[in-house]
Amino acid sequence: MRSEKQSTTIKTGENVSTPSSPATARNDCSITPLTPSPSPRVEVRPRMACPFSVVIAIDFGTTSSGYAFSFTQDSEAIHMMKRWEGGDPGVANQKSPTCLLLTPDLRFHSFGFAARDFYHDLDPEEARHWLYFDKFKMKIHSTSDLTMETELEAVNGQKVRAIEVFAHALRFFREHALKEVKDQSSSVLEGDEIRWVITVPAVWRQPAKQFMREAAYLAGLVSPDCPEQLLIALEPEAASIYCRKLRLHQVIDLSMQPITNGLELDVSRPFDSSFRQAREQLRRSRHSRTFLVESGTGELWSELQTGDRYVVADCGGGTVDLTVHQIEQPQGTLKELYKASGGPYGAVGVDLAFEAMLCQIFGEDFIQSFKAKRPAAWVDLMIAFEARKRTASPGRTNALNISLPFSFIDYYKRHRGQSVEAALRRSNMNIVKWSSQGMLRLTQEAMNELFQPTISKIVKHIEELMTKPEVRGVRFLFLVGGFAESPMLQKAVQKALGRTCRIIIPHDVGLTILKGAVLFGLDPTVVRVRRCPLTYGVGVLNRFVEGRHPRDKLLIKDGREWCTDILDRFVSVDQSVALGEVVRRSYTPARLGQRKIIINIYCTATDDVTYISDPGVRKCGTITLDLPEPLPPPGAVGGAGAGTPERREIRATMQFGDTEIKVTAVDVMSNRSVRASIDFLSN
């Protein structure tokens, strides 16, 4: 099957990178793809029984995190984590705030409520030396050049490598979860009997997914030698997997409530009653930590025929993530119809709007100074706002009170020489009042102003998605994630989309992703087809064709004319790729004795590109093939010296249908496996 006439060449070598334009020196060695394979081929993987005894999923959220687990011999029972110590009264504490506290000498101190409460109780002078991190997951989404060296800033301004902060948090969950699994398990569990699942937003790129995996290795969840023990689950996909199991009494159907001219017939009563119903359900479920799921698909799906499509909108703290699935009956597997979309407009947007409002009233310089000098009091103020934010609803007539920490009032008086009340009067902000009890009173208008920008972006994004040809005619929209608990968001989505599709909210909406992640760990083959978020490929040389190729791409090598920098596609953006589908390429080392082949990977968000130097194409990672010492040919006397050595063929196999891109390779002549790795973090 080797084709010597094959005329494409990839430039690479021991440690070189492909030049992005021909002006760069071209004295690097070359390797030649021997067998181009234009499209992925399917290698059908039979559904295997889960080889692990227990699956533990960690939902690592922007504002709150949690874990759940299931024993494979009783996979219909999902055990949620215990109530956290120091949880907030009146809130279901099956998740913990994503806050981490390090001591002044950078050692782990605490996570979650414990970190928050300890930090809050520190003396202000002492607090300045401690490192408190919250909402730090957002940084991974917003950093365009994420590496192992990327840093996070603590509330006190001190910086620490992000990978260490994430590893501390994952290590905490590992210890917590293992203790609880051991309490519930009669047998002694070995480390290799556990499959770990970590959730990430579907809109995250490959570097961010790899970053989470590296943090899990550093935290000791699994060893890099057993990568298959850890799965990265996509948040809306996990929610979708769980939604398949829902029964009718486990959901609120917002579309059942009538709306006329954008106003409810009976001002907010049906809305409030359904919300009360959900609260009641949540209250009851708080005491039981084991959820039973359907063994097949739930009743909701009995209305769906094969080919019916639905959208899952995962509205979290940091991101909103949309995925479009089609259910395949009778096996109940899922097929992604449109690439994941969304963006950084989660509930944190409302917090940022509140901070901007404070800057408007008290001055940005004062707020920045207060955050730096009284970090614990600032965290306190944001906790107070968070609690009130959760109670905001569209039908509410009375104002929401937020108590300002005493140190805020005192610091403002000393800093500005006047009272907080005077500042409010001077700001002319009529929608925020001051109460004699030392509280900010936010009117309904003020709350609308804080929520509106974030909610508008979410609704607009869902509406735009609904117009895509692949998505038109969708029957169900599932709202999941912590922000989906907000009546403000529910009402806005109901008003905008209630007529076009059924809007379904699972009762335990904040735990949907966590339960789905456990189900994904039990059977990762449940999502059978995914869509590529980007076009991926490598830079190659092709025969130069006069008139078709530009002259500045001409390279003359050994008397032959080549066109450089051509993008050889592995997969294209929005292409459907089935689980188990592979892309194969064969390469041959340029020199005898070459020990390493490094191939640069390029990506782009469109498909109409020809060269790796085109606008929008960027180098995003590398594939490294570590070549073993070649075996002497049969019958060779004295080893490798006899006769002309055969050209070695290294066959690389890439998988794009999983939640992460994977690569394996084999030395064809000896049939020995070649160490192959793919790296998106060291750019």
Side-chain angles (χ1 to χ4, degrees):
M1 66 171 266
R2 62 194 302 193
S3 119
E4 292 297 334
K5 295 195 199 83
Q6 172 55 32
S7 65
T8 54
T9 305
I10 291 196
K11 307 174 149 47
T12 186
E14 303 277 343
N15 50 14
V16 297
S17 61
T18 308
S20 58
S21 93
T24 334
R26 300 194 181 282
N27 54 4
D28 48 348
C29 61
S30 309
I31 56 167
T32 314
L34 297 173
T35 51
S37 105
S39 65
R41 56 189 79 179
V42 182
E43 295 186 343
V44 181
R45 288 194 291 198
R47 186 187 156 186
M48 300 184 311
C50 186
F52 303 97
S53 311
V54 64
V55 169
I56 305 175
I58 299 172
D59 177 9
F60 199 120
T62 301
T63 47
S64 59
S65 299
Y67 67 84
F69 58 92
S70 180
F71 295 100
T72 45
Q73 72 270 32
D74 181 19
S75 59
E76 277 150 47
I78 298 176
H79 306 274
M80 308 304 290
M81 71 184 191
K82 282 199 177 97
R83 265 192 60 128
W84 293 91
E85 296 309 309
D88 293 339
V91 177
N93 297 315
Q94 277 168 323
K95 287 173 90 180
S96 163
T98 310
C99 327
L100 178 82
L101 184 63
L102 301 182
T103 63
D105 59 356
L106 305 184
R107 280 175 310 137
F108 175 81
H109 180 272
S110 47
F111 182 89
F113 290 113
R116 206 183 72 178
D117 298 345
F118 184 89
Y119 184 62
H120 158 264
D121 292 338
L122 283 171
D123 173 83
E125 274 312 302
E126 205 186 341
R128 285 163 55 182
H129 302 291
W130 288 67
L131 286 81
Y132 181 80
F133 298 88
D134 68 345
K135 303 188 175 77
F136 51 88
K137 184 179 166 191
M138 283 297 285
K139 171 86 175 184
I140 303 307
H141 179 74
S142 59
T143 304
S144 55
D145 53 349
L146 184 66
T147 70
M148 298 289 276
E149 301 308 314
T150 298
E151 291 185 318
L152 289 176
E153 195 172 310
V155 174
N156 69 355
Q158 208 173 326
K159 291 184 175 175
V160 177
R161 281 171 71 220
I163 195 88
E164 286 168 21
V165 174
F166 277 79
H168 279 308
L170 289 173
R171 202 175 292 119
F172 167 82
F173 276 111
R174 173 181 170 269
E175 285 162 18
H176 225 277
L178 287 179
K179 184 178 179 307
E180 202 164 329
V181 167
K182 281 178 182 132
D183 288 350
Q184 298 221 18
S185 166
S186 47
S187 58
V188 179
L189 279 173
E190 297 299 321
D192 58 1
E193 289 180 71
I194 300 167
R195 164 170 269 162
W196 293 89
V197 182
I198 298 176
T199 64
V200 303
V203 288
W204 270 17
R205 297 245 166 114
Q206 291 298 327
K209 293 177 191 173
Q210 185 185 333
F211 179 90
M212 256 336 203
R213 178 170 282 281
E214 297 292 346
Y217 291 155
L218 193 58
L221 263 68
V222 302
S223 154
D225 301 331
C226 307
E228 66 291 338
Q229 244 189 289
L230 170 69
L231 291 177
I232 298 293
L234 309 180
E235 287 161 1
E237 205 170 89
S240 177
I241 292 167
Y242 176 65
C243 287
R244 284 159 60 249
K245 304 278 188 182
L246 287 171
R247 310 194 58 160
L248 292 173
H249 70 270
Q250 295 172 312
V251 301
I252 309 163
D253 190 339
L254 284 190
S255 11
M256 295 302 195
Q257 289 135 29
I259 292 185
T260 57
N261 301 328
L263 295 167
E264 290 78 4
L265 290 174
D266 181 1
V267 187
S268 94
R269 202 187 56 75
F271 192 83
D272 284 354
S273 66
S274 66
F275 202 70
R276 269 203 299 278
Q277 196 187 330
R279 281 274 153 91
E280 176 57 24
Q281 172 76 16
L282 204 56
R283 192 185 61 73
R284 273 191 244 123
S285 69
R286 236 176 259 170
H287 302 292
S288 147
R289 286 194 359 269
T290 302
F291 287 82
L292 295 175
V293 291
E294 295 284 294
S295 53
T297 46
E299 299 160 305
L300 207 54
W301 302 108
S302 56
E303 299 179 40
L304 288 179
Q305 282 100 44
T306 290
D308 271 350
R309 296 157 302 165
Y310 62 95
V311 174
V312 175
D314 168 21
C315 307
T319 49
V320 166
D321 230 358
L322 307 180
T323 196
V324 186
H325 277 163
Q326 187 173 50
I327 192 154
E328 301 174 305
Q329 303 286 28
Q331 63 277 40
T333 48
L334 300 174
K335 180 177 177 182
E336 188 179 22
L337 292 181
Y338 188 76
K339 67 178 189 291
S341 65
Y345 15 89
V348 169
V350 184
D351 303 349
L352 294 173
F354 176 62
E355 187 178 326
M357 185 184 271
L358 292 177
C359 289
Q360 217 178 321
I361 298 169
F362 302 107
E364 191 172 345
D365 58 333
F366 168 74
I367 294 296
Q368 295 312 325
S369 169
F370 180 72
K371 280 167 83 171
K373 295 285 192 298
R374 299 280 183 274
W378 173 256
V379 169
D380 246 13
L381 173 56
M382 292 314 287
I383 291 166
F385 175 69
E386 176 70 29
R388 306 314 288 146
K389 179 176 91 175
R390 287 170 183 270
T391 64
S393 69
R396 196 186 172 103
T397 48
N398 54 334
L400 279 169
N401 290 331
I402 293 162
S403 54
L404 285 177
F406 172 73
S407 63
F408 186 99
I409 298 166
D410 179 57
Y411 192 72
Y412 188 77
K413 194 163 182 80
R414 281 194 292 166
H415 199 267
R416 286 277 205 264
Q418 56 169 262
S419 70
V420 161
E421 193 178 351
L424 258 172
R425 272 202 308 273
R426 208 183 61 247
S427 73
N428 290 329
M429 195 173 277
N430 304 325
I431 54 176
V432 182
K433 313 278 185 222
W434 179 249
S435 90
S436 51
Q437 284 89 31
M439 291 184 173
L440 283 182
R441 291 175 62 76
L442 271 62
T443 60
Q444 181 59 36
E445 198 187 336
M447 287 313 275
N448 283 341
E449 232 175 73
L450 295 180
F451 274 85
Q452 210 41 55
T454 301
I455 286 178
S456 300
K457 282 179 193 156
I458 295 172
V459 171
K460 181 170 177 259
H461 201 92
I462 299 173
E463 285 179 326
E464 280 173 5
L465 180 73
M466 293 294 203
T467 64
K468 302 275 187 258
E470 302 89 336
V471 188
R472 266 193 219 125
V474 154
R475 293 186 52 191
F476 289 93
L477 168 66
F478 288 92
L479 270 191
V480 302
F483 197 23
E485 288 177 17
S486 164
M488 304 284 274
L489 178 64
Q490 291 180 1
K491 180 59 121 324
V493 172
Q494 179 200 25
K495 191 173 161 184
L497 298 150
R499 284 198 186 83
T500 52
C501 62
R502 284 178 63 185
I503 299 162
I504 308 284
I505 302 180
H507 276 159
D508 47 357
V509 64
L511 300 172
T512 307
I513 290 158
L514 195 43
K515 294 176 191 174
V518 174
L519 295 172
F520 178 66
L522 291 164
D523 178 19
T525 64
V526 61
V527 181
R528 204 186 55 76
V529 178
R530 291 186 176 89
R531 294 283 182 142
C532 291
L534 296 167
T535 296
Y536 288 98
V538 293
V540 300
L541 296 178
N542 269 354
R543 289 262 175 85
F544 188 85
V545 179
E546 195 65 57
R548 194 174 95 198
H549 294 137
R551 297 294 298 174
D552 66 347
K553 298 284 180 198
L554 173 65
L555 171 73
I556 296 172
K557 192 173 173 148
D558 302 331
R560 293 172 76 180
E561 295 191 337
W562 299 97
C563 177
T564 66
D565 295 348
I566 287 178
L567 180 75
D568 173 27
R569 280 171 184 68
F570 292 156
V571 286
S572 296
V573 63
D574 215 19
Q575 178 181 336
S576 282
V577 188
L579 209 58
E581 249 179 66
V582 296
V583 176
R584 286 235 170 86
R585 292 287 192 276
S586 286
Y587 302 109
T588 183
R591 302 186 311 275
L592 275 176
Q594 190 173 331
R595 284 282 160 272
K596 203 177 268 237
I597 294 176
I598 296 176
I599 304 161
N600 290 327
I601 309 171
Y602 294 85
C603 69
T604 170
T606 59
D607 197 32
D608 56 349
V609 294
T610 309
Y611 304 101
I612 59 173
S613 52
D614 285 351
V617 182
R618 59 192 174 84
K619 179 185 165 222
C620 62
T622 52
I623 297 173
T624 303
L625 306 173
D626 286 315
L627 307 183
E629 186 79 53
L631 296 173
V637 183
T644 313
E646 277 283 304
R647 279 220 293 173
R648 275 175 94 182
E649 183 184 340
I650 308 296
R651 187 180 300 153
T653 302
M654 280 154 287
Q655 271 186 33
F656 289 88
D658 273 312
T659 56
E660 296 171 278
I661 297 173
K662 300 189 175 95
V663 62
T664 54
V666 74
D667 187 339
V668 173
M669 194 192 296
S670 63
N671 209 21
R672 279 193 298 173
S673 157
V674 170
R675 244 184 95 105
S677 59
I678 193 159
D679 182 15
F680 292 99
L681 275 178
S682 60
N683 267 330

